[in-house]
């Protein structure tokens, strides 16, 4: 399904501010896998998301989706088969447009453009049907401006827009981090429900270790632009946050010893 091979990204190369954001990353996701990604600030999590989505072009490496190379495709072309939800509830939607207008844009993402109206009676019924699954009453507010929605409502709409065309890859970039606990729980539950319903291949970045353990079928940990830990579902179910922290400290300790040996 998704295959990332030898991806590397360096920012500000050749300057005092040079930073290797990704270092020869290799990652493979099978159809229907739901992988949670954890790591500290600057670990490379969002950079990896940006490279996969096409928002950032890697220096080297290959990205294939269903055996089709996509590393040379622009972001708008990849959006036909990649859905993404951002941390900021204000991102991913057009605030000055109505709910139905936003949904019409998302609905047409994987279709050829034509001159027919973006919103018609048939599409309104489709939109209402999907909005009902959110249990927020948005199906009765199709003409409401998205900018007037609450953060939780808007993030729920973003999640729906990213998934109701059943993308081949779903990217979730800390999509509950900016919400209050109640709304974060709502979006978490909706995410689990939608991913399971459509059997979506999903990569989700989170700073919430408990969320990373509870959700998905696999967990990876990143640090300094590398994947340092890759845990399958069965093992993940047995782990605690303390176990993860211990693994991190153990790996970092080995890395420091190796670095000192090289420098010595």
């Amino acid at each position: 399904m998704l295959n990332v091979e030898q991806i590397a990204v360096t920012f500000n190369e050749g300057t005092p501010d040079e930073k290797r954001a990704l270092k020869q990353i290799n990652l493979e996701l099978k159809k229907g896998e739901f992988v949670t990604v954890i790591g500290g600030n600057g670990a490379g999590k969002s950079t990896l998301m940006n490279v996969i989505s096409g928002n950032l072009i890697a220096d080297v490496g290959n990205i294939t989706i269903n055996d089709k190379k996509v590393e040379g495709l622009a972001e708008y072309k990849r959006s036909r088969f990649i859905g993404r939800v951002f941390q900021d509830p204000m991102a991913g939607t057009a605030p000055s447009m109505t709910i139905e207008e936003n949904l019409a844009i998302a609905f047409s993402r994987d279709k050829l453009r034509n001159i027919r109206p973006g919103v018609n009676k048939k599409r309104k019924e489709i939109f209402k049907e999907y909005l009902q699954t959110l249990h927020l009453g948005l199906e009765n507010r199709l003409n409401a401006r998205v900018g007037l929605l609450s953060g939780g409502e808007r993030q729920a709409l973003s999640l729906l827009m990213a998934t109701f065309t059943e993308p081949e890859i779903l990217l979730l970039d800390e999509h509950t981090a900016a919400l209050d606990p109640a709304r974060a729980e709502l979006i978490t539950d909706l995410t689990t429900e939608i991913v399971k319903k459509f059997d979506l291949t999903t990569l989700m970045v989170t700073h919430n270790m408990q969320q990373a353990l509870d959700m998905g079928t696999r967990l990876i940990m990143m640090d300094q632009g590398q994947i340092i830990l890759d845990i399958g579902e069965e093992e993940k179910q047995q782990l605690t946050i303390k176990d993860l922290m211990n693994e991190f400290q153990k790996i970092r300790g080995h890395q420091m010893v190796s670095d000192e040996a090289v420098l010595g």
Side-chain angles (χ1 to χ4, degrees):
M1 170 53 74
L2 172 66
N3 196 6
V4 175
E5 297 179 295
Q6 294 293 300
I7 289 293
V9 174
T10 300
F11 295 131
N12 304 312
E13 188 172 6
T15 75
D17 296 323
E18 179 176 308
K19 178 183 178 181
R20 295 183 65 193
L22 295 178
K23 305 172 184 177
Q24 267 63 52
I25 291 287
N26 291 293
L27 178 65
E28 182 178 358
L29 270 65
K30 297 178 181 177
K31 170 66 179 173
E33 271 199 296
F34 185 167
V35 180
T36 56
V37 186
I38 59 174
N41 292 330
K45 305 181 302 297
S46 290
T47 302
L48 178 60
M49 288 276 191
N50 286 333
V51 168
I52 293 171
S53 70
N55 179 259
L56 178 68
I57 302 300
D59 301 330
V60 296
N62 300 310
I63 301 173
T64 57
I65 297 177
N66 279 337
D67 298 322
K68 178 182 178 181
K69 287 191 175 185
V70 301
E71 66 267 11
L73 290 181
E75 183 177 18
Y76 77 92
K77 290 186 177 180
R78 296 191 208 184
S79 69
R80 295 177 182 175
F81 47 86
I82 295 178
R84 186 173 184 180
V85 184
F86 298 86
Q87 176 180 340
D88 183 0
M90 303 300 282
T93 57
S96 63
M97 299 174 70
T98 65
I99 291 175
E100 65 178 20
E101 288 170 338
N102 273 268
L103 288 170
I105 292 173
F107 187 79
S108 301
R109 182 173 53 218
D110 62 345
K111 299 172 179 62
L112 294 175
R113 300 293 187 268
N114 54 50
I115 60 174
R116 292 181 301 173
V119 181
N120 52 40
K121 185 177 180 180
K122 182 178 179 180
R123 285 192 176 184
K124 282 188 178 185
E125 292 305 314
I126 294 173
F127 296 162
K128 285 183 179 181
E129 181 180 344
Y130 276 95
L131 286 166
Q132 285 172 353
T133 65
L134 301 179
H135 310 296
L136 293 173
L138 296 182
E139 65 273 15
N140 301 316
R141 300 171 62 191
L142 286 177
N143 292 315
R145 301 286 178 185
V146 170
L148 299 178
L149 302 181
S150 69
E153 290 171 334
R154 190 160 180 175
Q155 199 67 313
L157 180 62
S158 295
L159 181 61
L160 183 63
M161 289 172 61
T163 57
F164 78 161
T165 55
E166 299 182 40
E168 296 180 45
I169 303 293
L170 175 62
L171 304 177
L172 304 172
D173 197 351
E174 297 188 61
H175 70 309
T176 64
L179 303 176
D180 63 70
R183 291 302 184 186
E185 184 177 0
L186 167 67
I187 299 303
T188 297
D189 291 343
L190 284 172
T191 300
T192 300
E193 181 181 328
I194 289 174
V195 168
K196 183 177 180 180
K197 178 180 178 180
F198 295 119
D199 193 27
L200 298 176
T201 305
T202 305
L203 196 65
M204 184 184 85
V205 169
T206 178
H207 273 295
N208 186 322
M209 288 193 176
Q210 191 60 57
Q211 185 183 61
L213 288 170
D214 292 341
M215 297 180 71
T217 59
R218 182 175 156 201
L219 180 151
I220 64 175
M221 180 185 289
M222 296 186 67
D223 183 53
Q224 298 181 7
Q226 297 175 302
I227 295 174
I228 63 172
L229 196 61
D230 192 336
I231 302 171
E233 183 174 18
E234 186 174 340
E235 182 182 359
K236 183 165 77 78
Q237 291 175 346
Q238 308 302 319
L239 295 179
T240 65
I241 293 176
K242 184 178 180 180
D243 293 331
L244 282 179
M245 293 302 298
N246 288 339
E247 284 294 325
F248 175 72
Q249 294 298 335
K250 186 191 304 181
I251 294 169
R252 284 301 302 273
H254 287 319
Q255 288 179 337
M256 291 177 65
V257 169
S258 298
D259 290 345
E260 287 174 359
V262 171
L263 292 172

